[in-house]
Amino acid sequence: MTVDYFVMAAYLLGIIGVGWWGKRRAASKSDFLVAGRRLGPLMYTGTMAAVVLGGASTIGGVRLGYTYGISGAAMVFAIGLGLLALSVFFSARIARLKVYTVAEMLSLRYGDTAAVISGVVMWIYTLMLVVTSTIAYASVFDVLFDVPRWVAVVIGGTIVVGYSALGGMWSITLTDMVQFVVKSLGVLVLLLPIAVVRAGGFSEMADKLPDGYFSPTSIGGQTIVTFVLIYTFGMLIGQDIWQRVFTARSDKVASWGGTVAGVYCLVYALAGAVIGMATKSLYPQLASADDAFATIVRHALPTGVRGLVLAAALSAMMSTASGALIASATVANNDIWARLRRRTATVSGPQDDEIGSNRLAIVVLGVAAMGIACALGDVIEALTVAYNLLVGGLLVPILGGLVWKRGNLPGAMASMIAGGTTVIVLMVTDGLLANEPIYYGLLAGLVAYVAVSLLTRPTEEAVVQAWHRRLAGEHAVAAPELSVV
């Protein structure tokens, strides 16, 4: 595999170089955190698709296809549906807010108290996303290169932390575009057709695979509903996703670019499931379904192509890891640490200080994520925990604040506490992968939000009017004239 190692090494060095080049663009807080809010439709679409399709979507998507057949596409399909819903119904309004974090939006809508709690929940969620992507690329190294897990984590993690800290969102955007192209070529253009051909085509796969592998519902209706509740709704409110929305140069770019990225996700979902089915047909007795992706790559692809597809897998994982890492650092530095020091991100000092503090947060949280990844092992389990906490605790107050005028601060606080607590308790009692935590967590949050909002005083009319003016973009700072395709 000497040639494959060379291809992968060249790719990784190229990513580092692109990240270093992006450092020159990070001259202000806006550049570092949201790429100056000036991405055009091409770059916005590519980077949005790159950040939502990571290790869980690639390794996990193939694993589910290996285990359940075509219905294994349900998880990634739910992610695509969520991105479509966000782009069609909410992204234009979100982009016009001109904020940096979800917690800032909640602060504008409800007050600073809501922002503190939501910031903590969002920070945990984004950090767990970094961990899941780190676990994913470590699993590839485990199978293919026979290196200890911690070595794989440190090598990959150091690269991600390095280019993320160099230029912030600009470096991440530029590297994501490279990763999007490599991922599309590696997974969709090369691995998918080669795997199907090696398995003998769909007719031979149908003869070899267990019954139900071509059924779209064999994974179970309840599981599909849970995927929709967790991942579709999670796409609507995640800091890592919103922070990409903030990079769009206009609300139209956010809406149309996100829609195209959502359609791409649906295609990627089907591709992952089919690759998993082909792997099951060829290697039906793998010790772990998590090894399905690496196994089909190692045994089915020719030299050189194998290296490119492995680079594509790393692209998927690193793009999500870097996006989640800067999101986690942004929340920690601007929503938690700054508020604990009784100062906001907008008055926290000179721009250079703000860039430096965000760089430091990226490094610290990146090292922490590497440590957690060494201790955990199940990428789907870790991702489910992250999304359960996010959706159960924050979905209702965030969407309620966008669509229901009567919602107020006491209602939002009650919803966060009721939904988050219910999710945590049921994950402990019923299991991390159980369906009940998200079902009852959402129900508890919704009931608390509506009941408490109706039983307490409405938000002051002046605050509501200021909020609606902000949503309309009337007081937003104009985006720079320079834009990027």
Side-chain angles (χ1 to χ4, degrees):
M1 293 185 63
T2 303
V3 175
D4 299 310
Y5 294 149
F6 176 80
V7 171
M8 294 181 64
Y11 163 75
L12 293 175
L13 288 174
I15 286 295
I16 294 173
V18 171
W20 180 266
W21 184 51
K23 180 178 182 293
R24 300 184 305 171
R25 293 176 174 264
S28 67
K29 176 183 176 181
S30 177
D31 289 329
F32 193 85
L33 296 183
V34 290
R37 304 188 195 275
R38 59 179 187 264
L39 295 191
L42 180 61
M43 291 196 72
Y44 180 85
T45 299
T47 57
M48 181 62 86
V51 75
V52 300
L53 295 175
S57 299
T58 304
I59 305 298
V62 172
R63 165 192 167 178
L64 291 174
Y66 183 91
T67 306
Y68 299 104
I70 197 67
S71 67
M75 183 186 77
V76 184
F77 208 84
I79 291 174
L81 291 178
L83 186 52
L84 285 171
L86 173 70
S87 302
V88 172
F89 298 112
F90 299 107
S91 61
R93 280 183 284 177
I94 293 170
R96 288 194 293 266
L97 287 174
K98 301 296 183 185
V99 295
Y100 291 104
T101 67
V102 175
E104 283 185 66
M105 168 263 172
L106 290 172
S107 178
L108 289 172
R109 177 63 177 81
Y110 298 115
D112 279 350
T113 305
V116 173
I117 296 179
S118 66
V120 172
V121 175
M122 193 65 73
W123 173 69
I124 295 172
Y125 155 73
T126 51
L127 185 62
M128 289 302 293
L129 280 188
V130 184
V131 172
T132 60
S133 297
T134 304
I135 293 172
Y137 58 67
S139 71
V140 174
F141 279 106
D142 281 350
V143 174
L144 296 172
F145 310 121
D146 194 28
V147 296
R149 174 64 61 89
W150 71 268
V151 173
V153 167
V154 170
I155 293 174
T158 300
I159 293 172
V160 170
V161 173
Y163 74 72
S164 299
L166 279 173
M169 187 60 81
W170 265 122
S171 290
I172 292 171
T173 296
L174 295 173
T175 55
D176 274 0
M177 282 304 298
V178 175
Q179 291 163 343
F180 173 71
V181 173
V182 172
K183 178 168 58 180
S184 298
L185 289 174
V187 175
L188 300 181
V189 177
L190 295 174
L191 180 57
L192 174 61
I194 291 174
V196 172
V197 170
R198 286 293 301 270
F202 288 103
S203 59
E204 190 167 333
M205 287 167 57
D207 293 335
K208 293 181 179 179
L209 292 171
D211 292 339
Y213 261 55
F214 282 86
S215 168
T217 59
S218 61
I219 198 171
Q222 190 176 38
T223 299
I224 293 173
V225 171
T226 300
F227 283 155
V228 170
L229 290 177
I230 293 176
Y231 300 116
T232 300
F233 288 154
M235 286 294 106
L236 300 179
I237 59 174
Q239 169 66 26
D240 53 321
I241 311 302
W242 278 38
Q243 198 156 345
R244 295 309 174 101
V245 175
F246 300 150
T247 65
R249 72 166 182 243
S250 69
D251 53 6
K252 290 183 178 179
V253 168
S255 180
W256 287 104
T259 300
V260 175
V263 173
Y264 178 90
C265 292
L266 303 183
V267 175
Y268 200 88
L270 292 174
V274 172
I275 292 168
M277 294 166 65
T279 308
K280 181 70 173 181
S281 177
L282 292 167
Y283 310 100
Q285 301 297 328
L286 292 180
S288 171
D290 276 326
D291 297 337
F293 180 88
T295 299
I296 191 66
V297 169
R298 183 175 186 178
H299 296 291
L301 300 181
T303 300
V305 173
R306 182 169 47 207
L308 180 60
V309 173
L310 290 174
L314 293 176
S315 296
M317 302 164 200
M318 289 182 173
S319 60
T320 297
S322 59
L325 180 57
I326 193 172
S328 183
T330 302
V331 171
N333 192 54
N334 295 275
D335 291 332
I336 300 176
W337 179 238
R339 292 178 188 279
L340 289 176
R341 296 172 63 183
R342 295 185 180 278
R343 60 184 196 174
T344 66
T346 55
V347 295
S348 57
Q351 293 283 346
D352 289 342
D353 291 341
E354 291 184 347
I355 293 176
S357 62
N358 281 293
R359 278 202 178 107
L360 178 61
I362 287 174
V363 173
V364 172
L365 292 175
V367 172
M370 285 188 271
I372 297 171
C374 290
L376 298 179
D378 191 318
V379 63
I380 300 295
E381 189 172 272
L383 191 66
T384 301
V385 170
Y387 273 97
N388 273 343
L389 290 172
L390 173 71
V391 176
L394 296 183
L395 177 71
V396 172
I398 291 175
L399 294 189
L402 288 171
V403 302
W404 192 38
K405 179 180 177 180
R406 187 61 177 82
N408 61 10
L409 175 60
M413 296 292 295
S415 179
M416 292 180 198
I417 295 171
T421 302
T422 302
V423 164
I424 293 171
V425 170
L426 290 179
M427 282 195 297
V428 172
T429 59
D430 293 0
L432 298 179
L433 297 180
N435 294 317
E436 286 76 14
I438 193 61
Y439 293 167
Y440 292 108
L442 277 175
L443 179 61
L446 178 61
V447 170
Y449 183 70
V450 173
V452 175
S453 292
L454 292 176
L455 291 173
T456 53
R457 295 178 58 185
T459 305
E460 293 182 11
E461 187 61 26
V463 174
V464 174
Q465 292 301 321
W467 163 252
H468 284 296
R469 287 195 299 270
R470 190 68 176 260
L471 274 180
E474 294 178 10
H475 291 274
V477 178
E481 292 184 2
L482 177 64
S483 62
V484 181
V485 296

